[in-house]
Amino acid sequence: MRVCSRSDGHSIRAHLAMALVCVCGVAAFADPARFDNHLLVEVEVSSPAELAELEARAELLECRARIGANRFVVSPDHIDALDGRDYKILHTNVQALIDAEAADRAAARSLRGPDFFADFATYAEVNAYIDTLVALRPDIATKVQAGTSLEGRAIWGLVLQSPVASPSQRPQFVISGCQHAREWISPMAVMYVADRIVRNYGSDADITALLDAVEFHFIPIVNPDGYVYSHTTNRLWRKNRRPNGTSTGVDLNRNWSIGWGSNSSSSGSAEDYRGTAPFSEPESTSVRDYMSTLTNMRGHLDVHSYSQLILGPWAHTSSPSPRRDELFPVSRKMGVVMLATHGVTYDYGFGDDVLYLAGGAMPDWTFDRGALSWTYELRDDGSQYGFILPANQIIPNSEEVFAGMLVIADAIQRDVEFTFPKGRPIWADADTPTSVDVTLIQWNENLIEPNSVRVFSRIGTTGAFNEAAPALNGLSFAASLPAISCGQTAQYYFTAHTTDGRDVRNPSDPNTTYELHVGDATVELADDFEQDTGWQASATAVDGQWQRGVPAGGGDRADPPTDYDGSGAAYVTDNADGNSDVDNGEVILESPPLDLSEGGRLTWAYWQDSLATLDGSDYMIVEYATDVAGTNWTYHRAYETPLDQWRTDALSVGGDIPASPTFRIRFVARDVGNGDVVEAAIDAFEAIRYSACAAPPCVGDLDGSGMVDLADLSGLLGAFGVCSGDAAYIPAADLDSSGCIDLPDLSGLLAIFGVSCE
């Protein structure tokens, strides 16, 4: 037996909170029971039979019981149920926790004052604050009723629209909260986002531009009956208040039609009871009908707690969702900006990558209707507070939500985008055609006519462009640009037509083109990883750190059997034989700073493979930083497809990827959870630095005047007959490089006499 008594009151109150609900759904506060000297324990359960034995003699606090750690409340009369089991005591008197939690809530309310966000608001207070925001800015804010609950309460919403006319309909962004009643941080975060926009529109340039571009629809409390009940009777009530015979409540986030009936419960007493049919509940039906009136709904964010997660679709199935090229980079960026807000980590992924499958979820329905949709699970990670989040975390947690929301708002404004998986080059090798890899992303279901893509290019800055129709591989193609010599410029741009009849161009300004110049190449770093050249490894994962050395795994567990370039060494994740892969997090390999002041080109070999079922988010990610400190990282691309072989890639710097004297690149191998075998490796890294090419000397122009003239002829005649080694020898006059200035040189100069070097 392991016994561990904890004294952290907040942490224990989170466990207590589970005691009050997760006898999954019992209304514990309706007739409060006493829990004097009841133990709060965590038991390591090894089998379904052991779980059944414990449930018969103790109160299970998990809404989803599992093999592993489960929490129970054990009465003094049943303490012997723990005999011979692996458990730890979290608290010795549950009643003391109940009393302390009640005292904390009373104190918070008394100190709240006029600040709406100083404490968790009731249903009536949230609705009153909607009225306050409308009164503050009636020119942009409108209160709407999105529906009515089972018990007749209004489901109020707030619409924010710019007063500035728009030439086309703005994308509509729905932000919903409180499908689950006990998640009190949810409506507060939704209201905080609305509050920031209302109070800063017209004075803050960024927020003004945001509302001028996007129309917002806020529904802070989708489940008003459950929310009221959680305030008056049972603090951790989850569902709505539908009578189910001997039990109460339907989980509204299992009652939507997409995936309904899967990965949810058919038992009315279960916390995830899905209801008798899709949209059996007036709350889900009302909100569905309201959103169905939105003709340009492009974004949806459904706010929940807890776990600190960013969840993209699908929720109901492990099958990959479409539009991953849109969803993944947005999810990644949200994780970055939310972390940067207060240093709190939000993991990100799809479906059951980071949480569990759930059929009938609201964001799956909105995604199916064309909206880019996500679920946020807010603070904390469950280690301290769980659902009983202290009120002093309302504002910092809401600031994280606001930062993430801005990323979605930006994404839903995007049109067809021309992207450059290997970077857009600005430098070319002399007299060699240049290939530019391009991939089209059809953001927000803006579709292109596949045969409409064109590449326009020319040599020089004037004259007609040559038009070419590249061969597309899906939405990717390679554009071939003409060979140029030193001193020449190639200009180019791309076009396509959308299925709704619009022309798109890259670059978008019709008076602008991309340019390509010949550059002189210098090797900045050629690394076979035989020596330490300053690469840095770090990790959030529990296992799988990058290590430099000869691959040691043998290749039988998704690891590379050898290096790529034959030198022997490479960087490999957890370079050891056996169970040595990346687990439950990220491992990061960061280059030393590279001087690419005028641009350059990076090349490398990479290995990315997996055994078992690869999670939809177990990608290998490439990012770069251009700041001096190397702290501001920008997502570039992700390798999604595992393969048991080395592959190569490249990155041009200076075009869409900024040049920098302290350029860094990093490779992030990622494993969500620890159920997969994820391995990665990097080898044969090379960084080439480019600079403007030195123009070749003008043949025959001995004095550099720009013209082959009498002065040049005079100079050659003055050195006629002189050979190399003589002080009078003039190398430029030795036109044929024979070593002597002789008749062939004189003949050659006369042939070009009078020619301009321009």
Side-chain angles (χ1 to χ4, degrees):
M1 177 186 76
R2 290 185 293 118
V3 179
C4 175
S5 178
R6 296 184 181 173
S7 59
D8 182 348
H10 288 298
S11 178
I12 301 308
R13 282 168 212 161
H15 295 296
L16 157 68
M18 297 304 294
L20 300 177
V21 238
C22 277
V23 187
C24 290
V26 175
F29 284 91
D31 184 16
R34 299 288 300 179
F35 292 89
D36 297 291
N37 300 316
H38 284 54
L39 298 181
L40 181 61
V41 299
E42 185 175 274
V43 183
E44 287 292 331
V45 176
S46 60
S47 68
E50 183 181 9
L51 182 63
E53 290 173 6
L54 285 164
E55 285 190 83
R57 304 195 66 198
E59 296 289 359
L60 175 66
L61 306 187
E62 306 294 337
C63 294
R64 282 177 174 263
R66 59 195 179 276
I67 303 303
N70 291 267
R71 290 164 297 188
F72 297 85
V73 170
V74 183
S75 72
D77 296 338
H78 292 153
I79 192 70
D80 62 318
L82 300 174
D83 290 349
R85 304 190 193 279
D86 184 9
Y87 72 94
K88 56 186 174 183
I89 297 174
L90 304 177
H91 203 277
T92 58
N93 186 359
V94 169
Q95 187 59 46
L97 300 176
I98 295 174
D99 296 341
E101 201 271 341
D104 284 354
R105 290 289 302 137
R109 299 296 292 179
S110 66
L111 296 174
R112 176 176 177 173
D115 183 0
F116 178 77
F117 297 102
D119 190 25
F120 297 100
T122 64
Y123 167 75
E125 289 167 338
V126 170
N127 295 334
Y129 201 67
I130 292 176
D131 293 333
T132 297
L133 295 180
V134 172
L136 280 173
R137 291 300 300 265
D139 57 326
I140 64 173
T142 304
K143 186 177 184 180
V144 295
Q145 185 170 347
T148 304
S149 72
L150 182 71
E151 295 179 348
R153 292 182 177 88
I155 302 172
W156 291 111
L158 178 68
V159 179
L160 299 183
Q161 295 173 298
S162 169
V164 178
S166 174
S168 59
Q169 186 179 14
R170 296 179 174 91
Q172 295 163 317
F173 187 178
V174 177
I175 304 179
S176 56
C178 203
Q179 287 203 82
H180 295 148
R182 64 193 177 196
E183 299 165 7
W184 287 4
I185 184 61
S186 168
M188 303 305 295
V190 173
M191 291 302 296
Y192 179 87
V193 174
D195 180 88
R196 280 277 295 270
I197 297 173
V198 168
R199 292 183 183 275
N200 290 282
Y201 180 80
S203 59
D204 181 291
D206 291 336
I207 288 180
T208 301
L210 171 67
L211 190 59
D212 286 345
V214 177
E215 177 181 301
F216 287 87
H217 294 253
F218 298 92
I219 308 175
I221 304 176
V222 173
N223 180 11
D225 297 345
Y227 191 63
V228 169
Y229 191 74
S230 73
H231 277 267
T232 62
T233 308
N234 184 333
R235 166 63 183 87
L236 284 186
W237 187 258
R238 172 182 169 100
K239 301 182 286 183
N240 76 350
R241 295 296 299 157
R242 165 73 67 183
N244 298 323
T246 58
S247 61
T248 302
V250 170
D251 183 345
L252 296 180
N253 206 35
R254 304 294 184 273
N255 193 236
W256 295 70
S257 58
I258 302 300
W260 185 88
S262 65
N263 300 296
S264 58
S265 178
S266 60
S267 171
S269 62
E271 287 281 53
D272 60 346
Y273 174 49
R274 59 182 172 254
T276 57
F279 299 114
S280 62
E281 305 311 297
E283 296 89 352
S284 55
T285 301
S286 294
V287 176
R288 174 203 64 188
D289 292 347
Y290 175 78
M291 290 195 293
S292 295
T293 68
L294 305 180
T295 57
N296 198 29
M297 182 175 65
R298 291 301 182 188
H300 174 225
L301 174 60
D302 195 32
V303 183
H304 290 257
S305 73
Y306 60 92
S307 288
Q308 294 169 200
L309 300 174
I310 300 166
L311 305 172
W314 299 112
H316 72 279
T317 176
S318 296
S319 298
S321 56
R323 305 175 66 184
R324 288 288 181 105
D325 54 350
E326 300 169 78
L327 292 164
F328 186 81
V330 175
S331 297
R332 174 74 176 176
K333 187 173 182 179
M334 286 191 287
V336 170
V337 301
M338 292 171 80
L339 172 64
T341 305
H342 291 295
V344 174
T345 298
Y346 286 79
D347 204 354
Y348 58 93
F350 304 98
D352 61 346
D353 295 354
V354 292
L355 193 58
Y356 50 77
L357 291 177
M362 182 194 224
D364 278 6
W365 184 86
T366 54
F367 182 68
D368 186 65
R369 289 181 61 85
L372 290 173
S373 64
W374 282 268
T375 296
Y376 282 177
E377 295 283 353
L378 304 187
R379 297 188 187 184
D380 65 355
D381 61 3
S383 62
Q384 276 191 291
Y385 307 113
F387 296 113
I388 310 298
L389 193 69
N392 63 12
Q393 296 202 31
I394 292 173
I395 289 180
N397 200 172
S398 298
E399 289 171 339
E400 291 157 357
V401 173
F402 189 85
M405 175 279 300
L406 291 176
V407 179
I408 301 176
D410 172 71
I412 65 175
Q413 299 176 54
R414 297 185 186 179
D415 201 341
V416 173
E417 183 177 357
F418 291 80
T419 67
F420 305 94
K422 297 184 178 182
R424 178 174 55 78
I426 61 171
W427 297 110
D429 295 324
D431 305 314
T432 304
T434 299
S435 180
V436 181
D437 286 0
V438 184
T439 296
L440 288 158
I441 299 179
Q442 301 177 123
W443 284 95
N444 301 301
E445 299 187 321
N446 291 296
L447 306 180
I448 66 160
E449 296 285 358
N451 295 325
S452 71
V453 178
R454 295 291 184 271
V455 181
F456 294 86
S457 63
R458 68 183 177 190
I459 297 176
T461 58
T462 59
F465 283 89
N466 295 313
E467 178 180 342
L472 266 66
N473 179 14
L475 291 172
S476 298
F477 63 92
S480 181
L481 303 180
I484 54 176
S485 300
C486 185
Q488 290 184 312
T489 297
Q491 294 185 325
Y492 63 101
Y493 65 94
F494 309 98
T495 65
H497 303 299
T498 64
T499 55
D500 60 359
R502 295 177 297 108
D503 294 328
V504 291
R505 185 185 190 275
N506 181 261
S508 58
D509 184 348
N511 298 312
T512 302
T513 62
Y514 295 132
E515 291 192 347
L516 193 67
H517 306 275
V518 172
D520 287 335
T522 303
V523 177
E524 172 73 5
L525 175 64
D527 206 337
D528 59 8
F529 299 117
E530 289 294 312
Q531 304 294 327
D532 181 1
T533 55
W535 291 75
Q536 300 293 320
S538 59
T540 64
V542 299
D543 194 15
Q545 180 62 280
W546 288 96
Q547 296 175 334
R548 183 174 59 85
V550 176
D556 60 339
R557 280 179 53 85
D559 52 325
T562 64
D563 71 326
Y564 173 77
D565 59 12
S567 67
Y571 261 103
V572 183
T573 51
D574 202 356
N575 189 24
D577 198 9
N579 186 11
S580 60
D581 64 298
V582 182
D583 278 328
N584 196 23
E586 297 180 346
V587 293
I588 302 167
L589 180 64
E590 177 185 329
S591 76
L594 305 168
D595 183 3
L596 304 181
S597 304
E598 299 180 65
R601 190 168 188 266
L602 311 179
T603 57
W604 61 88
Y606 71 95
W607 177 284
Q608 179 223 10
D609 198 14
S610 174
L611 296 180
T613 302
L614 185 70
D615 285 333
S617 303
D618 288 346
Y619 298 164
M620 185 174 174
I621 297 165
V622 181
E623 296 181 318
Y624 63 88
T626 59
D627 59 307
V628 173
T631 56
N632 298 319
W633 293 93
T634 299
Y635 170 89
H636 175 63
R637 70 176 306 179
Y639 302 133
E640 303 179 26
T641 306
L643 191 64
D644 61 343
Q645 66 183 44
W646 284 97
R647 291 168 279 182
T648 60
D649 203 358
L651 184 67
S652 291
V653 177
D656 57 321
I657 298 174
S660 169
T662 55
F663 190 92
R664 292 174 175 86
I665 188 170
R666 72 179 185 181
F667 304 95
V668 183
R670 185 167 189 262
D671 176 48
V672 178
N674 55 11
D676 301 323
V677 176
V678 175
E679 293 280 15
I682 295 293
D683 198 12
F685 182 88
E686 185 175 65
I688 300 295
R689 180 176 68 249
Y690 279 97
S691 57
C693 65
C698 179
V699 176
D701 183 18
L702 275 59
D703 62 359
S705 67
M707 176 75 71
V708 180
D709 53 19
L710 283 173
D712 302 311
L713 178 60
S714 176
L716 187 148
L717 292 173
F720 193 83
V722 175
C723 292
S724 175
D726 192 304
Y729 176 73
I730 302 174
D734 186 7
L735 271 62
D736 61 0
S737 301
S738 66
C740 293
I741 301 170
D742 49 21
L743 281 174
D745 301 314
L746 177 60
S747 176
L749 188 143
L750 291 173
I752 57 176
F753 189 82
V755 173
S756 171
C757 294
E758 296 297 323

